[in-house]
Amino acid sequence: MPTFPKVGLDALLTPENCAVLLIDHQPSQLANVNSHEPTMVINNVTARAKIAKAYRMSYIVPSSGLSLRQYQS
């Protein structure tokens, strides 16, 4: 198993060496979430996408589920 010599600030994630993956949030999945309100889940996912965009991180968006306009606004 290789060792990674990066320690301290060099070991932190940067926009150049990481990406945000947004899972496929389909309406049927949100309807079955009982621990959180569906609106709260959508708002949290949208906020994460906006944060990734603000920090110029790569983010992977699913092909279905929430509309791309929600992620991009």
Side-chain angles (χ1 to χ4, degrees):
M1 176 178 240
T3 60
F4 298 99
K6 293 185 176 186
V7 295
L9 293 178
D10 291 335
L12 297 176
L13 294 176
T14 65
E16 293 79 29
N17 66 6
C18 66
V20 175
L21 171 64
L22 301 170
I23 63 168
D24 197 1
H25 294 86
Q26 296 180 1
S28 60
Q29 291 172 327
L30 294 177
N32 293 319
V33 173
N34 296 320
S35 60
H36 297 84
E37 290 291 323
T39 304
M40 182 189 298
V41 174
I42 291 170
N43 290 343
N44 287 341
V45 171
T46 304
R48 285 186 181 98
K50 288 180 179 182
I51 290 168
K53 185 176 180 181
Y55 282 98
R56 297 184 179 174
M57 296 171 63
S58 299
Y59 57 98
I60 302 164
V61 179
S63 60
S64 62
L66 294 178
S67 80
L68 292 178
R69 276 183 268 145
Q70 275 185 292
Y71 290 124
Q72 294 171 345
S73 62

